[in-house]
Amino acid sequence: MTAPTFDAARPTSDSAVVLRMTDVHSYYGNIHALQGISFEVRAGEIVTLLGANGAGKTTTLKTIHGLIHARKGRIEFEGRDITSMPAHEHVGVGIGQSPEGRRIFSRMTVLENLQMGAYTRRDTSTLHEDYRRVFELFPRLEERRDQSGGTLSGGEQQMLAIGRALMTRPKLLLLDEPSMGLSPILVEQIFAIIQDINRQGTTILLVEQNALMALGVADRGYVLQTGRIVRSGEASALLQDEEVRKAYLGG
Amino acid sequence: MTIVLALAITAVALPLIVLLPPLNGFGTQRDFVGGFADAGVFVLLAIGLNVVVGFAGLLDLGYAAFFAIGAYTYAYGASPFSGLDIPFWPMLLVGALVAAMFGVLLGAPTLRLRGDYLAIVTLGFGEIVPVVFLNADTYTRGTNGITGLSQPSLYGIFGINGFGFTDPWPYFLTVLIVIAVAFSFLYRLQDSRVGRAWVAIREDELAAASMGINTITTKLLAFSIGASTSGLAGVFYASKLSIVSPDQFGFTVSFTVLAMVVLGGMGNIWGAAAGAFIVYEIQSQGLKQLGAFVQSLHVPTLALGPVSVNLGAIDFINFQYLLYGLALVLMMLLRPEGLFPSRRRRSELHATPDDAADSADVLVQA
């Protein structure tokens, strides 16, 4: 693995490892989906996992989040072993996620969705501030706060899924394919907001098929292929990498 | 408070309404009040099942099991068979707690299952419980059931001692109070954190877990609260009837209560209660009166070739389940959200024009 160097201009960057995966194997039944994944995410970074369909990107996120349990290997969050932690406890340690396919509560209003994000929060004093923050990042959500989630457009639903995850006050935000099914303009918008969220101090692990966009905002990237990491490095280096260009960036 | 007020109004209004024509032609006020007390049992059952099915979205087909457990708990607590005579009032709580405990016992291993699988397991449990009460006859007296259960008493307060068999009023008022307590508890619960967690789980269990909701314990809570309400109903029912036997708690009870919740409006506490009341009254009073009414018309026997139909001789009570079936089919076709749906359920079942427009929007963007 190449040793990443950090952009000194980024105020939130330091070298503390937030998430470390060590030789993680997971299965769907008998299918060996992750065949020994090792990587790390450091505080303040945006790290992206790239790869084609079925490479194991979503499986990696699900494994981190405890929806699939790793059969082998170790997952650490801020030095704490979370390998077999059940999904609902992740919010408590500071891992928030916007899942694949958004999965917003379509019969709840926008505001109710955000309230669900704050479900485990006891510190009601800062809640209001966080609603403000989400509405500042996504003004569209404020306009539609009393509309039911299912009536939102695809882009708005993606915003809601991210906003809902932010309401958990995550230290690490897992984003699964935020560009899926969105028009290019919306993708640009969403990625700009992802950068804003990162600048405000949230570490981000971003899973994407849209490699060009993802490498554009990320500090570092890992390329997955059939359950293994085949390439890794700084985002700018991966963008130049001949193999990566050929496979994921259309030459 | 408004809930208690609404129930108080109901308590005063119902016995008065039956004094008016045409209802007063069908029976005495006393008959009606006795019927209302019995209907109250089903109201309790329905609002309890509504927590499980309506709030948390868990299909429970064996709900009568908890009803049976509540009733038998009372039978063990206050009958010559057990030799104990614990007063009715604390037994209400004991019955609810025992039923809740069995709710947890059944729920813990099974709530990992979803949808159809959960329904089948609960169906099995609903069958097992009456069969156990039937066959463990050393402990339950089998088919004979346990008889001579003590009836509630107020020990002279308001001049009332044992409630007895002849006067339905104390039972009617008691069940109303129990319902009022259950109502206000369930309304609080619906608006609480747990209530919101149930809605989230019903919508998307995986997303709910991502929000930090412990889906297993939250579902378990719905199950045990539903069971405890059923236990309350069981204790009251057993004390009023003064006998428990396994045949009172078969699948038809589970099914009837589910039909009541569905017809009344899943997810809405008042809806489920109204559904229970309406269905029970139609079943216990309406069909009998319909028979008497048709008989009074003196329709001549129709001879259609080899078949002769004598409308006057039809006993409509025998057609009860046929009529349920028809009512359910019609309901699902015409008004799937029930007679008195909750706001949320209505929106789940009727796509607004906005929905259609927006899904088109998504397609364009994709």
Side-chain angles (χ1 to χ4, degrees), chain A residues 65 67 88 91 97 103 105-108 112 115-117 119-120 122 151-155 164 181 183 186, chain B residues 193 196-197 199-200 203-204 206-214 343-344 347-348 354-355 358 361-362 365-366:
Chain A
H65 207 263
L67 295 169
H88 67 267
V91 171
Q97 80 152 355
R103 304 193 88 130
F105 300 111
S106 57
R107 308 300 171 188
M108 292 189 197
E112 285 172 326
Q115 282 166 349
M116 286 319 300
Y119 182 78
T120 58
R122 305 276 177 198
T151 65
L152 301 181
S153 73
R164 190 180 63 176
S183 67
L186 267 172
Chain B
R193 259 165 66 83
R196 286 188 291 131
V199 177
E203 281 216 19
D204 190 329
L206 200 142
S210 306
M211 300 297 103
I213 296 169
N214 185 339
R343 179 183 60 85
R344 215 179 278 286
S347 74
E348 278 168 35
D354 284 5
D355 284 343
D358 267 53
D361 181 32
V362 175
Q365 288 183 354

Side-chain angles (χ1 to χ4, degrees), chain A residues 77-93:
Chain A
F77 181 73
E78 293 187 322
R80 176 176 172 187
D81 185 357
I82 60 160
T83 317
S84 51
M85 183 183 269
H88 67 267
E89 287 178 20
H90 283 68
V91 171
V93 299

Side-chain angles (χ1 to χ4, degrees), chain B residues 3 56 63 69 100 108 140 163 167 183 200-201 203 209 245 257 265 302 350:
Chain B
I3 298 153
Y63 190 61
I69 287 165
T140 64
F163 282 13
D167 187 4
F183 254 63
I201 287 175
E203 281 216 19
S245 69
V257 177
L302 298 168
H350 290 282

Side-chain angles (χ1 to χ4, degrees), chain A residues 141-155:
Chain A
L141 293 184
E142 184 158 32
E143 287 165 32
R144 314 220 155 186
R145 50 180 275 169
D146 297 319
Q147 206 170 311
S148 75
T151 65
L152 301 181
S153 73

